[in-house]
Structure formats: C-alpha cells, structure tokens
Amino acid sequence: MAATQEGSRGERVHAWTPVEITLAAQRQYARPYTDVEVWAEFTHDSGTVVCRPGFWDGGSTWRFRFAAPFAGGRWTWRSVGDPSDPGLDGQRGELTVADRPAVGNRFHRHGFWRMSPRGRSLVHADGTPAVLVGDTAWALPWRATEDAVRVYAADRQAKGFNAVLMMSVQPDRDARGPRDRTADHGFDVAFEDLPEGHLNELSPAYFRSLDRLTNILAEHALVPVLQPVFQGWGWKGQRGNSGAVVPPGEYARYCRYLVARYGASPAAWLVGADGSGDEPQVAAGGAEIGRWDAYRQPCGIHYAPFFGNRAHQEADWLDFQWCQTGHRGEHVPERLTDMWRNTPAKAVANGEPTYERGGAPDRAVGWWQGHEAWSNLCAGGTMGVVYGAGSLWQWRLHSGEPGHPAYFLAEDAGWREALDFEGSRYVGLLGRILDGLPTTDMRPDWEISKSPRGLLSPGVLFIAYCEHGGPLGIRDLTGTRVPRAYRVIDPRTGETTGRGVRTGDTDDIPDEGGAPRIYICYDG
C-alpha cells in the first residue's frame, strides 16, 4: 500500500494510487475485529460503483483504502456500518481524480494486474501484458526488518522480479520464540489466539508493520502475493500448522481483512497453499475474496506435490492453479502441461520448484533455475515463473541461526547470503527478456518448429526455448502464424546473439548451437 493519499473530502487524487480514509467509532466494542463490519460505496460521476471493505486498526479507528480505477472525474463515497455506529455508518465524502495518472511505476501507469481475456496470463487493467516473475520469501512478513526489506527489494527489482510470495502470518501453532525480529528464533505475531487454532485476537500493530514492509515492496514494483494461513509445511515443518485447522468462517473473515487492508494496491491472493485445495478454509476464503475484491486481482491455489491441482476449477473466484514439483532437483514441466488441459481454463504456473541449495549445496544451483523457468513457461505455465532459495524463504537471520529443518536449508547461508545465489539472476532475467512483448494468452505449441518447447500467439508472437541452441527449423505452412522478424537471445545474459528477417515461411533461424537460446519471432 504505497504512496497513500489522504482521502479528505474534496481531495484531488490520482488513479491507481491508494487513498486512505479514517473513521472513528463513537461506541465501544469488546471485540471490534470480529463484531463490527464496515464498508464504503464509492460512486463515480459515470455511475461506476466500487465497494471497498473497511478494516479495524486499533482502538476506535477504522480505515478504508480506495484506488480510483481510471483517471478523471469525481467519486462520492458513503460508509455503512453493521451494527450501526454514528462514527462509522453514513459518513460521506468525495474525491476528484486527476486527468492523468501519477508519475510512478508501471502499476500507476497501467493499473493493477488482472487475468487476460482467455484467463491464461496476466494483464494490467489497461490491457498491457504482464508475466509474473515471483520470488519466494514466505517468512518476510513476520521476520524481516524494514532495513532488510529495502536491501531485499532493491536486489529483486534490479534482477527483474515483480512479485513476492509471502505467508501473511507465522502459521505454526507450536513454534516458540521471542517477539523480536532480530533475535534467533524470533518472530512477530499477527493473532494472539493462533496457537489455539483461531483467528479472532488480531494485533493491529503487526499489520501496521506489514504495511511498512509492503510499502517498501510496492516502491520497488514488487507485488505481494499474500497467503492467509498456510495449509502445509509452514515455517519449521509440521508443527501444528493452522491453515487447515482454523474455522472456515474465521479464515474467510481474515481474507476479507487482507482485501480491505492491501487490496487497494497491487496484490495477488494465494488463498490456499501447500495442501490439497479441498480444505474448507480455501473455498470459504476464496468466495470471500471474490465477494469483496472489486479490482478482481488474481486469486488462486498453490498445491502440495501430491495432488491433482484442479480443486474448485469451476469457481468464479478462482483465477489460477499453481503446482509445485517437489524439492529433489528434478525438472517436471509435464505437470504444467497436464494442468493446462483442465477446463474451464485457468492460468497455470509452477509456484514452487526446487529451492536453490535447499538441503544440499549442489541442489538446483545456477542455470538449473533458468532452465526450469523457461521449461515451465513453455510447457503451459504462461502466468509466469517462480524462484526460491534455501534459507531465504525461511528468512534465516544468519548462517548460524539454529532450529531450522535441514531439508530445505542452505546450510551455510542466512537470508542475505541466499539473496546472492546465482540462479536468481537467470529467473529474473526471464522477465526482462519478455518485457514489452505481446504475451497475452500465448499458448504452448508443438507444430511450428523443431524446438521441443514453444509458445505461440498466432500471427503476433512465437517464442521457442532450446536447451542447446542451434538452428531453429520453422514450419509455418500457411505463412500466417509466425512473424518474419526474429531475435536470438542468450537467456543466461540477456544478450542478443543474432537477429534478422526470414525471407520464407519455412526458413531456419540460424544459430551456432552449444548453449541455451531463446528465439523470439515478433514484428514489433
């Protein structure tokens, strides 16, 4: 929630930049988080209505966050409180939106992410194509300091990442440690009653801290992919994980809170994680997100390795399905191909390949990660790619911090050392290579070329990945599917190694071979 503007009555604001409106209850409530619901309806002069839930922020304070979904015009708003409270119910105001967006990152210029027309990839609100390039920093919200997140965000932005997967709360009911982000075993606490398997005693101070961390990410154009409460491994393994234990109604209420607090900024919702997807919490939370996220930012499920990866495939609130391929250092892109065939169509990605150096110093290191990313993308994972590093996802404070299971740990590294693992460069570079290309709803193709991996948007774009390079044979018998202009790129460096224009529809694209290559056919 970066660059928040105060939404006072009559204030001039910018599109796609959050406005914060503060209300004060006039009555006292013993359990304000659970017993009071507040929302506001924002109505544009054109008749467009955006409904935004409010959230309790401690004491008598409730807040709304709103981002105008287009430039220009005037919005009026009215609050609703249940139960009715003179300070929360019936408050009114107006906002005037500037005719041009704020000068800022691509989310200010193009709007938040949403799903493409065919549901296979990401686009911004104005239709600009996008490819998710995600990093895995599950424990950042409750372990990292602001200074550390500044270091982290600058590194990931410079490498080409644009999203960060995070557990919004520390989910292990049996985990113990000081409430100190700088101490070994330490972590911050979002719900005081989570050790009992409940989400009722919310700590506003925790979420004010998370606001500051997500602001830093947003300043670096990194989208938080927020997971409410993990269903699987959690932070330190199977230590009484909460995501499949808390009552579904409490899980749904918390999903609404996340939408209220973070949904007026770029975000994505990972409503289920590391489970089957059939946990009742997932359906309850997904439906609540679908009900309250007026911007329709991407919402989906991330599975453990043992499941079919198609729970709730027909649900309107479900936008994407993310597999994980285990942590043994094996490439399994066929899982993406299998998921691609599921109907109705949803976007697909591998949300958790093997963590670099996770559990062994030579596991999934270096170019392994780049090959994995391009293979997954071309197999059908056209929503994007995800990277993870051992010791980083746990946010291990330093290389000697004890108490983390060795199975996922980079033994000689804390989060800061893991930030520099080689493989992250190659995954981030994928985003830079694809930036600006018309990737919307591209699909796997096995007919155009002799490459084992290809993506096609007929007549617009063809991308092929060859693990060992070499001349790329093209078989475009109709002459309508593959643009004539081409570039050949080394995906390890981003360097263009060749370019030209094919004179015939079945001409090869030349390359000497012997190294990985990306072939991009695009006339733009």
Side-chain angles (χ1 to χ4, degrees):
M1 194 272 304
T4 304
Q5 306 166 89
E6 287 296 329
S8 59
R9 291 159 177 79
E11 186 80 16
R12 179 175 289 273
V13 300
H14 288 282
W16 299 115
T17 303
V19 176
E20 185 169 281
I21 298 167
T22 302
L23 302 180
Q26 294 186 16
R27 296 173 180 157
Q28 298 294 316
Y29 300 96
R31 296 163 58 89
Y33 168 68
T34 62
D35 294 352
V36 181
E37 292 187 5
V38 183
W39 63 94
E41 290 185 352
F42 293 80
T43 304
H44 190 258
D45 292 338
S46 66
T48 299
V49 177
V50 173
C51 186
R52 289 287 298 146
F55 62 91
W56 176 63
D57 202 25
S60 61
T61 300
W62 269 260
R63 304 186 195 276
F64 301 102
R65 288 172 179 169
F66 167 77
F70 44 81
R74 183 179 65 103
W75 294 81
T76 57
W77 60 266
R78 179 185 182 277
S79 66
V80 180
D82 183 15
S84 181
D85 181 297
L88 304 178
D89 189 42
Q91 297 296 309
R92 298 176 183 271
E94 67 179 52
L95 307 166
T96 301
V97 183
D99 292 333
R100 295 186 177 182
V103 176
N105 62 41
R106 66 184 60 201
F107 294 98
H108 294 135
R109 298 192 305 272
H110 302 298
F112 303 160
W113 280 342
R114 61 182 58 171
M115 302 314 297
S116 60
R118 295 182 181 176
R120 293 297 198 179
S121 59
L122 295 176
V123 295
H124 289 269
D126 68 355
T128 299
V131 176
L132 179 140
V133 184
D135 188 37
T136 309
W138 291 124
L140 181 154
W142 28 274
R143 294 221 86 194
T145 64
E146 293 175 49
D147 287 344
V149 172
R150 289 190 183 93
V151 172
Y152 170 83
D155 178 273
R156 276 358 194 189
Q157 181 186 39
K159 287 176 177 170
F161 288 88
N162 57 21
V164 185
L165 281 62
M166 301 187 295
M167 303 178 192
S168 66
V169 302
Q170 193 291 108
D172 297 351
R173 297 196 309 282
D174 298 334
R176 299 291 182 267
R179 198 170 296 193
D180 181 350
R181 293 169 181 261
T182 65
D184 285 3
H185 305 287
F187 59 92
D188 205 351
V189 174
F191 287 89
E192 301 294 342
D193 55 345
L194 186 141
E196 288 76 52
H198 288 281
L199 300 174
N200 295 318
E201 298 176 17
L202 178 140
S203 168
Y206 174 90
F207 290 95
R208 288 193 285 269
S209 175
L210 185 55
D211 286 351
R212 294 190 291 272
L213 300 185
T214 55
N215 282 348
I216 294 168
L217 296 177
E219 289 163 7
H220 292 82
L222 293 167
V223 176
V225 181
L226 290 168
Q227 205 293 313
V229 190
F230 223 58
Q231 276 79 36
W233 179 272
W235 179 33
K236 292 189 175 182
Q238 303 297 335
R239 300 175 65 92
N241 200 275
S242 299
V245 173
V246 298
E250 295 177 18
Y251 194 92
R253 182 194 300 122
Y254 178 48
C255 288
R256 175 177 171 173
Y257 187 88
L258 290 175
V259 170
R261 189 147 200 153
Y262 301 106
S265 297
W269 317 112
L270 201 57
V271 69
D274 207 39
S276 69
D278 290 317
E279 297 85 358
Q281 294 81 2
V282 174
E288 194 74 357
I289 290 170
R291 185 176 299 118
W292 286 102
D293 181 11
Y295 304 108
R296 202 64 170 93
Q297 300 200 72
C299 178
I301 302 173
H302 165 56
Y303 294 86
F306 315 104
F307 296 100
N309 308 338
R310 57 160 293 114
H312 310 294
Q313 189 82 17
E314 296 80 10
D316 290 340
W317 55 261
L318 183 81
D319 298 312
F320 64 84
Q321 302 278 34
W322 285 3
C323 69
Q324 66 168 296
T325 49
H327 306 285
R328 295 162 49 94
E330 297 172 346
H331 300 293
V332 196
E334 58 265 31
R335 295 210 74 174
L336 282 300
T337 303
D338 180 63
M339 293 165 64
W340 174 273
R341 299 188 181 103
N342 290 337
T343 57
K346 306 291 181 179
V348 172
N350 185 351
E352 202 170 0
T354 301
Y355 292 110
E356 187 164 15
R357 293 176 55 181
D362 60 349
R363 182 170 293 158
V365 297
W367 176 245
W368 187 100
Q369 297 288 340
H371 175 71
E372 173 79 351
W374 285 104
S375 298
N376 286 332
L377 184 83
C378 291
T382 51
M383 183 175 180
V385 297
V386 177
Y387 166 82
S391 291
L392 176 59
W393 76 262
Q394 304 98 324
W395 209 269
R396 191 186 193 193
L397 297 186
H398 55 85
S399 60
E401 185 185 24
H404 297 278
Y407 182 70
F408 286 130
L409 203 64
E411 184 177 2
D412 58 349
W415 73 269
R416 182 60 190 84
E417 292 80 11
L419 201 60
D420 296 330
F421 289 174
E422 179 186 358
S424 63
R425 299 203 309 267
Y426 305 126
V427 180
L429 193 55
L430 178 148
R432 297 212 177 279
I433 291 170
L434 297 180
D435 189 30
L437 293 174
T439 54
T440 302
D441 284 322
M442 57 186 177
R443 57 178 174 80
D445 180 88
W446 315 107
E447 301 174 358
I448 290 296
S449 78
K450 296 178 182 178
S451 166
R453 302 174 179 91
L455 293 167
L456 177 68
S457 180
V460 177
L461 175 69
F462 179 65
I463 298 172
Y465 167 55
C466 291
E467 184 177 357
H468 304 292
L472 182 70
I474 298 291
R475 186 177 181 272
D476 186 12
L477 299 181
T478 66
T480 61
R481 296 192 291 174
V482 181
R484 293 286 187 91
Y486 68 84
R487 286 183 293 142
V488 183
I489 297 173
D490 184 339
R492 302 166 302 175
T493 65
E495 176 189 4
T496 296
T497 63
R499 65 172 66 242
V501 179
R502 295 180 304 114
T503 59
D505 296 324
T506 59
D507 288 355
D508 287 359
I509 296 177
D511 181 72
E512 293 183 358
R517 289 291 184 263
I518 303 297
Y519 308 79
I520 297 175
C521 297
Y522 174 49
D523 288 333

